[in-house]
Amino acid sequence: SKEGGNLTVGGGRIAYIQGEDEYYSDDLRLVDGDSFTYVDYANEVAELSGDRLLLKSGGNWDNNWADIWRLRDVRTGDITELPDALDYDLWGERLVGLGEDGEVRVFDLRTGADPVVLRTATPEIQFSGDVHIAGDLVAWDIRDAGDFFDTGEQMLRNVATMTAATELPMFDGYGGIRDLSTGYAVGAETCPDDCYASAVALDDLSHTPVGTLGSEVVAVDGNTAAVVD
């Protein structure tokens, strides 16, 4: 059977979940130097950044089975419940969220100021998709959840300059943006028949295959991409 759980690294720490299988993950553990501790119950560690863990757990009957998102301070143990969202991502003191209506908002966790809206909502459409943040850059990849043939919207925007969003058309169709660094976006191109991982330079939008045909699992940190073929 396929093992469950996942892994993330940040601030010199390692957080991981090891469950019984891919559906029933449970114990979240944190490795900090020589310390190895149980931290929480969660289905997924979405991100570890500095002293914060972004956690995702499955929903329940009371919240119509929507995913439950939380921020946990690994020093104090304090937990902040986050509003319902399709997806969140964390980078330093910034948290970005994607709503089911397509709204993309960036939260400043240091100041607690009102969130900055990078994409306004489209209330008449229920979206699927995800969102990524790296430094001042935010990328989103969204599609109409009710339209199987919708190629969606793959965009990049700078939260510091607030210039108009830039389209990333190489990740349309059934591919999608999988990860983001301050220099590159990575994802899957030319899906569904012949998917392959590709890295796109954000300064000139040039793109280069980084995996063999059929490779879709890809992540990026700085100028380094990792691919599972």
Side-chain angles (χ1 to χ4, degrees), residues 49-148:
S49 182
D51 292 329
R52 293 187 178 91
L53 273 167
L54 176 61
L55 303 175
K56 174 183 175 183
S57 299
N60 52 52
W61 182 271
D62 293 334
N63 73 340
N64 199 29
W65 304 105
D67 290 328
I68 299 171
W69 295 89
R70 296 173 294 155
L71 274 178
R72 184 183 183 102
D73 189 310
V74 298
R75 290 183 301 102
T76 67
D78 293 341
I79 293 176
T80 302
E81 302 286 342
L82 299 175
D84 290 347
L86 276 177
D87 194 32
Y88 281 103
D89 196 18
L90 177 66
W91 177 285
E93 300 289 344
R94 284 178 173 148
L95 177 75
V96 61
L98 169 65
E100 287 191 354
D101 57 6
E103 185 177 61
V104 177
R105 299 188 296 170
V106 176
F107 302 82
D108 188 323
L109 301 176
R110 181 179 60 84
T111 66
D114 291 339
V116 176
V117 177
L118 299 185
R119 185 193 187 278
T120 57
T122 310
E124 63 273 17
I125 299 177
Q126 183 175 354
F127 288 95
S128 61
D130 48 40
V131 68
H132 308 272
I133 185 168
D136 293 332
L137 302 176
V138 173
W140 60 89
D141 180 3
I142 59 176
R143 293 168 175 80
D144 183 342
D147 184 355
F148 181 77

Side-chain angles (χ1 to χ4, degrees), residues 131-210:
V131 68
H132 308 272
I133 185 168
D136 293 332
L137 302 176
V138 173
W140 60 89
D141 180 3
I142 59 176
R143 293 168 175 80
D144 183 342
D147 184 355
F148 181 77
F149 299 101
D150 180 28
T151 57
E153 179 182 314
Q154 297 78 33
M155 307 294 287
L156 178 76
R157 193 166 188 188
N158 190 309
V159 69
T161 64
M162 290 300 288
T163 53
T166 301
E167 188 177 5
L168 299 174
M170 64 290 299
F171 295 134
D172 65 3
Y174 297 93
I177 302 169
R178 305 297 167 83
D179 200 9
L180 182 70
S181 76
T182 54
Y184 290 86
V186 294
E189 291 194 62
T190 323
C191 290
D193 296 325
D194 297 317
C195 294
Y196 61 92
S198 180
V200 174
L202 301 180
D203 54 356
D204 60 6
L205 299 187
S206 61
H207 53 115
T208 306
V210 294

